[in-house]
């Protein structure tokens, strides 16, 4: 019975809508001032020595958890180490980023300038990282500039957002970069 009710509704709604292929108007594409493709994260090359040191650290943490009676620490350490080994060959996918006069588009998600507060660029040895601060939500939108000139990104974004050049890399981000996590 429930099936026929839904089918009846679909039969009623179809002739009462104007949504036909002839009446659909495509949304215009906003021209990009700057667009590029970049990986979603930095792909660190790790040596066999790195894997050995990390494996020993996981085993030491697991042993400490067993000795101290905190078996959950051991389980979490072994699970984290296992997941990391399983994901180590994952190559980050390239993401599409574009800056328009209305906002920033990151892989299909649009952020209007009225929802964004400021930006800053951080140059590391391996990449330049663009941070964009949102007004309402906590956290930053973090993008890599890839092969795009960071100065060009700075010039385009500074037309719409305030640059906070005094920002430094977050402590956790520095730890992740140094440890190649």
């Amino acid at each position: 019975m429930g099936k026929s009710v839904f089918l009846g509704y679909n039969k009623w709604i179809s002739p009462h809508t104007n949504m036909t292929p002839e009446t659909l108007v495509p949304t215009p594409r906003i021209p990009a001032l700057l667009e590029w493709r970049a990986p979603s994260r930095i792909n660190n090359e790790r040596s066999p020595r790195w894997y050995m040191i990390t494996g020993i650290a996981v085993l030491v943490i697991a042993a400490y958890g067993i000795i101290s009676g905190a078996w959950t620490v051991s389980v979490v350490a072994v699970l984290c180490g296992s997941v990391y080994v399983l994901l180590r060959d994952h190559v980050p996918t390239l993401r599409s980023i574009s800056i328009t006069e209305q906002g920033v588009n990151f892989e299909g998600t649009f952020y209007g300038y009225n929802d964004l507060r400021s930006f800053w660029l951080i140059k590391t040895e391996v990449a330049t990282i663009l941070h964009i601060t949102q007004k309402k939500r906590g956290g930053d939108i973090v993008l890599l500039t890839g092969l795009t000139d960071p100065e060009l990104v700075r010039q385009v974004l500074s037309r719409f957002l305030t640059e906070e050049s005094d920002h430094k890399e977050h402590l956790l981000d520095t730890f992740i970069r140094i440890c190649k996590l």
Side-chain angles (χ1 to χ4, degrees):
M1 177 169 167
K3 206 174 202 179
S4 63
V5 172
F6 288 122
L7 290 175
Y9 176 76
N10 287 341
K11 288 179 186 173
W12 178 84
I13 198 73
S14 293
H16 293 87
T17 61
N18 295 329
M19 302 303 280
T20 63
E22 294 81 26
T23 59
L24 289 175
V25 178
T27 55
R29 186 179 189 292
I30 301 170
L33 299 173
L34 181 63
E35 59 185 329
W36 70 92
R37 292 180 58 79
S40 53
R41 63 177 175 78
I42 297 170
N43 189 21
N44 292 307
E45 296 296 323
R46 297 171 192 93
S47 66
R49 179 176 175 237
W50 184 91
Y51 285 106
M52 185 178 69
I53 292 170
T54 305
I56 291 171
V58 167
L59 291 175
V60 166
I61 293 169
Y64 171 77
I66 292 169
I67 292 168
S68 66
W71 59 271
T72 54
V73 172
S74 300
V75 170
V76 169
V78 170
L79 284 176
C80 287
S82 301
V83 167
Y84 207 85
V85 167
L86 290 173
L87 297 177
R88 72 174 181 228
D89 291 331
H90 174 72
V91 177
T93 57
L94 289 177
R95 305 292 178 133
S96 298
I97 302 130
S98 63
I99 300 173
T100 68
E101 291 190 1
Q102 286 78 27
V104 177
N105 192 350
F106 173 62
E107 199 63 27
T109 303
F110 182 77
Y111 301 92
Y113 290 123
N114 53 351
D115 296 326
L116 304 175
R117 177 175 291 124
S118 59
F119 78 96
W120 67 93
L121 291 160
I122 296 175
K123 292 185 180 186
T124 66
E125 305 88 42
V126 293
T128 301
I129 305 166
L130 169 64
H131 289 258
I132 303 175
T133 305
Q134 300 180 71
K135 287 182 182 174
K136 295 181 183 173
R137 298 181 206 150
D140 300 335
I141 301 167
V142 181
L143 310 168
L144 297 179
T145 60
L147 299 175
T148 305
D149 181 17
E151 290 304 316
L152 185 58
V153 173
R154 174 179 280 120
Q155 287 174 359
V156 172
L157 270 180
S158 62
R159 292 175 41 197
F160 308 103
L161 295 173
T162 306
E163 181 180 7
E164 297 182 16
S165 57
D166 59 335
H167 272 275
K168 303 288 184 227
E169 189 173 26
H170 297 294
L171 182 62
L172 186 58
D173 292 336
T174 305
F175 176 77
I176 290 170
R177 182 177 48 81
I178 290 170
C179 293
K180 296 183 178 182
L181 297 176

